[in-house]
Every structure is written in C-alpha cells, then in structure tokens.
Amino acid sequence: MNVTIVDYKSGNISSVINSFKEVAQNKVKIEVTSDLNKIKSSDKVVLPGQGSFKSCIDALNKINGLVETLNVFAINNKKPLLGICVGLQMFADVGYEETETKGLGWISGKVTKIDNQNGKYKLPHIGWNEINIIKDSKILKDIKNKSHMYFVHSYEFLPNNKNAILATTNYSSNHVCAIETENIFGTQFHPEKSDKIGLKIIDNFINL
C-alpha cells in the first residue's frame, strides 16, 4: 500500500512527513510528491496545509491539473484522503482569510475568523487543547474523549452538514476540529505535533 503526502510547496511539511514515516515503518510506502500520476495511483492521500487559506489554494492551483486530480481521487474514486489544518479548511466552499477565496467545495461550508471576543482570546489559537469527541470514527479509534491535541490556527471551518463533525474544541466557542464524510477526513489540529495520540490518528488513517 502507498500513502502520498501532497507537496504543493505550501509551508514546512517535514514534521508531517517524519511522523507518517515513523508510523509506517517501511510496512507502508510513504511518498511525498506533486506528481499527478503518483497521486492518482495512490491508495491514500494526505493534504497538509500551512499558512493562509488563500495562499494554500493559490499554491494548489499553481500546479497544473492538481485540483482536478484531487477531485477525481476523493470525489469520483472515493479513496481515503486526510486534510490537516488548512488542508481540512480547503474542503469548504469558500474561505475569508485575506480575501474571499473559493475552496475545493468537497464539504459544503465556509472558513471564517475565530471570534476572539474583542481581544479576550488571543489569535492564533496556539498550543494544546482538549477535543470533545461527538461521534465514533475509524480515525479516532482508541482516542479517548478530552484528549489533548496541538493547534495553530486563527480561522475555523463551519460545515453546513453538522453530521460531518467528529470532534470540537473550545476556544472562545466550540469549533470543529475533526470531520469525516465517507472517505474524506480532516483535522484542524496537527496530529503530527500531538505526541503519541496524534501518531495514533495517523496510524488509524494508514490502517483504514
């Protein structure tokens, strides 16, 4: 089996790569590429994202055919895909970071700035926070409710379909931190920076 981490030149993804390789331990082939044919032939794809919603979407669009390839992979062929941080946010129809930007439109909804309640809450929301698991999921297998995960973000994904929400975290309000619809999974937190619990989520995704 091979898992492809999409490298579209958006931020430092070395910790994502290292953690997947650590979990895979040569039993699973981990490839890091933006090669469309390699992505197409993958069993699973990981879409990381660092920086702003707009910068990540722009970077995806800069690679000719990449968005179409991801659409075919996730939407047409229904193969497992995991979005991390902005990788999850890009599933939305639209994001409002920097300027209004069209998302991938895989999970209907929007990405808006966390309400910091007039400065009461610092942005970005950075560091460890506990997650409230709302429903069971294969990627949250053996993860205890109220586990702590590592976050770095100022924007939140508001999906229209509340059934897609796996977990929330409380920071100024309850916001979505893990989602699943069919074969598409996403975490707002960084599993690759969330110690052993985060590695367990990566392991769960690899073993789907």
Side-chain angles (χ1 to χ4, degrees):
M1 187 178 76
N2 63 332
V3 178
T4 297
I5 298 170
V6 183
D7 182 8
Y8 58 103
K9 303 294 176 265
S10 169
N12 180 7
I13 60 168
S14 57
S15 54
V16 174
I17 297 163
N18 292 338
S19 55
F20 268 83
K21 287 187 170 167
E22 183 183 335
V23 171
Q25 288 179 338
N26 302 326
K27 291 179 291 214
V28 176
K29 187 179 176 197
I30 304 292
E31 188 129 35
V32 184
T33 184
S34 59
D35 182 297
L36 304 187
N37 288 324
K38 285 180 177 169
I39 293 168
K40 278 175 193 159
S41 63
S42 304
D43 297 302
K44 298 186 174 84
V45 157
V46 181
L47 185 63
Q50 273 192 321
S52 73
F53 186 96
K54 181 181 185 302
S55 70
C56 286
I57 288 287
D58 287 351
L60 280 185
N61 285 323
K62 264 190 193 130
I63 298 171
N64 198 15
L66 181 55
V67 169
E68 294 85 336
T69 298
L70 291 171
N71 279 329
V72 169
F73 185 93
I75 303 301
N76 301 10
N77 296 340
K78 300 233 178 285
K79 288 185 182 178
L81 182 142
L82 173 67
I84 297 173
C85 197
V86 185
L88 152 70
Q89 294 180 1
M90 290 192 293
F91 297 168
D93 298 315
V94 62
Y96 293 98
E97 191 168 0
E98 292 184 53
T99 178
E100 186 176 320
T101 306
K102 189 170 176 281
L104 293 167
W106 293 349
I107 297 176
S108 183
K110 62 185 178 180
V111 175
T112 61
K113 195 164 195 176
I114 294 169
D115 177 9
N116 71 354
Q117 298 183 26
N118 296 323
K120 189 176 158 196
Y121 287 84
K122 271 189 189 160
L123 291 180
H125 166 217
I126 186 163
W128 296 87
N129 205 344
E130 68 178 34
I131 65 167
N132 307 298
I133 296 173
I134 291 168
K135 62 184 205 179
D136 289 338
S137 164
K138 287 174 190 157
I139 65 158
L140 297 180
K141 181 174 174 267
D142 298 329
I143 303 292
K144 288 192 173 83
N145 192 29
K146 310 287 186 199
S147 290
H148 283 75
M149 299 296 182
Y150 190 82
F151 290 84
V152 187
H153 65 121
S154 300
Y155 284 73
E156 61 175 322
F157 176 35
L158 304 170
N160 294 335
N161 175 11
K162 300 299 177 252
N163 289 332
I165 302 170
L166 293 180
T168 61
T169 195
N170 191 288
Y171 190 79
S172 163
S173 63
N174 274 325
H175 45 84
V176 176
C177 68
I179 56 132
E180 172 186 346
T181 62
E182 296 184 66
N183 56 303
I184 297 171
F185 303 86
T187 63
Q188 179 62 65
F189 54 82
H190 287 269
E192 78 282 5
K193 293 177 182 171
S194 297
D195 208 35
K196 286 184 177 140
I197 307 173
L199 292 180
K200 178 60 187 156
I201 289 178
I202 290 170
D203 186 52
N204 287 340
F205 178 70
I206 286 174
N207 289 319
L208 280 176

